Amino acid sequence: MVKSAIMDYKLRRLSNGLRILTVPMPSLESATVTVWVKTGSRNEDERVGGISHFLEHMVFKGSKKRPSAKEISEVVDAIGGEFNAATSKDWTNFYIKSRAGSLETAFDILSDMVLSPLLEAAEIEREKGTIIEEIRMYEDTPMYRIGDVFEQLIFEGNSLGWDIAGTEESVKEIKRDDFVKYRNLHYHPENILVTVAGGIDEKNVLELVEKYFSRLKISTSAKTLADKQNFKADQNRVRIKLYPKKKEQAHFILGFLTDGRGYKNRFAQSVLSVILGGGTSSRLFLEVRERRGLAYSIRTSVDRYQETGYIGTYAGVDPKKADEAVAIILEQSYGIARGRFPISSRELQKAKEFLKGHLALALEDTKDVASFFGEQALFLPEILTPEEIFKKIDKVDVEQVLSEAKRLFVPERLNLAIIGPYNNDNKFEKLLK
């Protein structure tokens, strides 16, 4: 079990509004520095869809101090470090993981890259080809593409449904001025968080943050998520989206609309997800894979954004047996909600230990520790330590799980997205109704 002493954190703010979160892990020789920006694809204008992800790429192409990708990577290699970045629907981050003794170099590189990218027009044009090939790669990989297709369905009409990478057309249209405008709107200190986790000295970290980030000026044109972009659920019927593709396997997600990051009973929902399809002894794994051999991969998870989310089950199946797999998932979901398949105390306890165990294992890496605390600090009014989360999971009882199942597992919240060789959705529509 992760001890709370190891996971103590401190959150401070510089005079310019930038926040710094530190998580000392004294037994480790490594540390991860992450720069978070509270913006992603849902904050974009549709004309320049994918600009958050495109900017993530451009940050590595050259900066004020190191004007080429080669010069940046050479400095990271020289300290034996690992560096990368990621873009989501509502955040972008950049990190370097290295020896704790190389912390200042990590700060120097990251601050230079994130705050002073060159954004040269020639590099922008070259990188468009790379991103378009990335889009095509995911298009040809249904196991990954199905998540985008499902979110297009469940968040239809909202920017949450847009693909993070944008489209080939929108990427081709992005110019240098678009990056400059986007950075002015979103890359300001009030919208940036720096997290540092590992074998660190907090006083030294604060000095480094002050040295490398205090020059960032408070924005006069800062932009936050507009009310019109907030997702307002108005679903009142079953919804289906077919994505025709000639493949030997069908990939689908069947999911129910649920609640956002701060929902008070979110731990009961997580337990429900594990009971349904969270491990190799879960109900759906046993019913769909072990007893019927319909799928190699099947799993249920909860995905959340600020104001909304969904509990969804993914499966990859023989196209001729997709309807059978869908029927079993519905039977198990509705069976829990309607009391046909009761949850035993043993099953409840197993699910809770599954959640706690997976969290504990994830927090053995400083990069994952930074992500665990960083996302909470960006979006939630209260940051929970692992120990506090363990306690909340332990308090979940059968009645809470059943209450969530009854509320969520109803046709008015049901969505099915499927990639496969299908011409119409008649048989799935009949099945779901």
Side-chain angles (χ1 to χ4, degrees):
M1 181 178 289
V2 180
K3 297 183 183 301
S4 58
I6 297 176
M7 288 295 145
D8 282 346
Y9 73 92
K10 289 184 180 176
L11 182 62
R12 300 176 178 85
R13 189 183 293 270
L14 297 186
S15 58
N16 63 1
L18 183 140
R19 293 187 298 161
I20 169 69
L21 186 147
T22 53
V23 188
M25 303 170 74
S27 64
L28 300 183
E29 294 294 329
S30 66
T32 298
V33 182
T34 308
V35 179
W36 299 78
V37 187
K38 192 177 179 181
T39 186
S41 58
R42 73 172 305 182
N43 299 82
E44 299 167 355
D45 292 326
E46 195 167 10
R47 181 186 68 81
V48 289
I51 194 170
S52 306
H53 171 255
F54 199 154
L55 180 56
E56 173 214 311
H57 279 233
M58 291 307 303
V59 160
F60 290 86
K61 295 301 177 182
S63 58
K64 188 174 181 180
K65 275 189 179 181
R66 303 168 184 91
S68 71
K70 180 174 180 287
E71 288 174 86
I72 292 172
S73 59
E74 281 181 343
V75 180
V76 178
D77 287 346
I79 61 172
E82 166 195 328
F83 76 139
N84 212 329
T87 305
S88 80
K89 295 287 175 83
D90 51 14
W91 56 256
T92 310
N93 72 17
F94 310 85
Y95 77 88
I96 293 180
K97 181 180 178 181
S98 67
R99 284 194 316 111
S102 301
L103 207 59
E104 179 156 12
T105 302
F107 266 96
D108 183 19
I109 298 166
L110 276 177
S111 61
D112 186 35
M113 289 168 57
V114 176
L115 304 185
S116 305
L118 292 182
L119 303 174
E120 292 182 340
E123 285 287 357
I124 290 170
E125 291 306 309
R126 272 193 291 271
E127 196 62 21
K128 287 180 181 180
T130 300
I131 292 172
I132 287 169
E133 288 308 311
E134 183 179 356
I135 291 171
R136 291 173 180 173
M137 178 187 72
Y138 279 98
E139 179 66 33
D140 287 340
T141 315
M143 182 176 181
Y144 301 117
R145 178 62 177 152
I146 187 60
D148 294 330
V149 175
F150 181 78
E151 292 199 349
Q152 288 171 12
L153 170 66
I154 200 167
F155 301 131
E156 185 179 10
N158 186 270
S159 59
L160 268 178
W162 300 349
D163 290 358
I164 292 170
T167 65
E168 291 191 27
E169 291 73 23
S170 66
V171 168
K172 288 175 183 176
E173 291 301 313
I174 295 173
K175 308 296 182 188
R176 189 180 193 280
D177 284 349
D178 296 315
F179 286 116
V180 174
K181 291 174 185 176
Y182 184 80
R183 281 177 49 78
N184 287 338
L185 287 173
H186 300 290
Y187 278 59
H188 52 85
E190 306 95 319
N191 215 35
I192 293 177
L193 168 74
V194 177
T195 60
V196 189
I200 59 173
D201 176 80
E202 289 182 273
K203 182 175 180 293
N204 179 48
V205 169
L206 293 175
E207 290 171 353
L208 292 173
V209 175
E210 189 72 39
K211 178 178 179 179
Y212 288 100
F213 286 91
S214 61
R215 64 187 171 91
L216 195 56
K217 303 300 182 185
I218 296 173
S219 174
T220 56
S221 58
K223 183 177 180 181
T224 57
L225 185 64
D227 287 341
K228 67 178 182 179
Q229 288 177 286
N230 283 333
F231 178 77
K232 295 178 175 63
D234 59 359
Q235 183 177 352
N236 55 19
R237 61 179 176 81
V238 170
R239 293 190 300 188
I240 303 171
K241 183 180 181 70
L242 291 187
Y243 198 83
K245 216 167 184 65
K246 291 183 179 180
K247 292 287 183 181
E248 294 180 0
Q249 192 177 43
H251 298 260
F252 69 81
I253 294 177
L254 185 151
F256 297 86
L257 195 65
T258 181
D259 310 276
R261 286 186 177 98
Y263 178 59
K264 63 180 181 178
N265 288 333
R266 62 188 183 274
F267 300 105
Q269 291 181 354
S270 296
V271 170
L272 174 61
S273 168
V274 172
I275 289 171
L276 194 60
T280 55
S281 63
S282 65
R283 295 186 177 194
L284 289 179
F285 193 92
L286 293 176
E287 290 293 332
V288 175
R289 173 172 161 157
E290 296 300 305
R291 290 175 186 158
R292 292 175 175 83
L294 296 177
Y296 171 74
S297 178
I298 180 164
R299 60 182 179 273
T300 305
S301 59
V302 181
D303 288 84
R304 300 190 192 281
Y305 296 101
Q306 192 61 8
E307 74 279 30
T308 188
Y310 56 88
I311 178 169
T313 298
Y314 159 81
V317 300
D318 182 330
K320 296 176 182 177
K321 297 182 178 179
D323 53 346
E324 184 181 353
V326 168
I328 294 166
I329 295 169
L330 285 175
E331 179 186 35
Q332 290 295 320
S333 302
Y334 291 151
I336 293 174
R338 297 167 183 172
R340 289 181 55 217
F341 305 138
I343 298 169
S344 68
S345 58
R346 180 176 176 276
E347 192 176 23
L348 177 73
Q349 189 60 33
K350 177 167 66 73
K352 293 196 284 189
E353 293 302 323
F354 179 95
L355 286 171
K356 293 189 294 180
H358 273 244
L359 176 57
L361 290 176
L363 296 178
E364 291 180 348
D365 187 297
T366 56
K367 178 166 64 73
D368 294 322
V369 170
S371 294
F372 172 82
F373 284 100
E375 191 167 342
Q376 290 190 79
L378 280 181
F379 295 104
L380 297 177
E382 178 187 18
I383 299 172
L384 300 177
T385 66
E387 283 289 343
E388 289 169 330
I389 288 179
F390 294 157
K391 290 177 181 177
K392 288 185 178 292
I393 292 171
D394 283 334
K395 289 180 180 178
V396 173
D397 58 33
V398 171
E399 287 71 25
Q400 290 173 322
V401 177
L402 185 57
S403 175
E404 289 300 319
K406 288 178 178 178
R407 186 174 70 89
L408 299 178
F409 294 162
V410 294
E412 293 79 15
R413 290 177 176 263
L414 177 58
N415 297 266
L416 172 67
I418 184 164
I419 297 176
Y422 305 107
N423 296 319
N424 64 70
D425 59 6
N426 286 348
K427 69 174 180 177
F428 294 107
E429 189 171 356
K430 290 177 182 176
L431 181 63
L432 268 59
K433 288 184 176 179

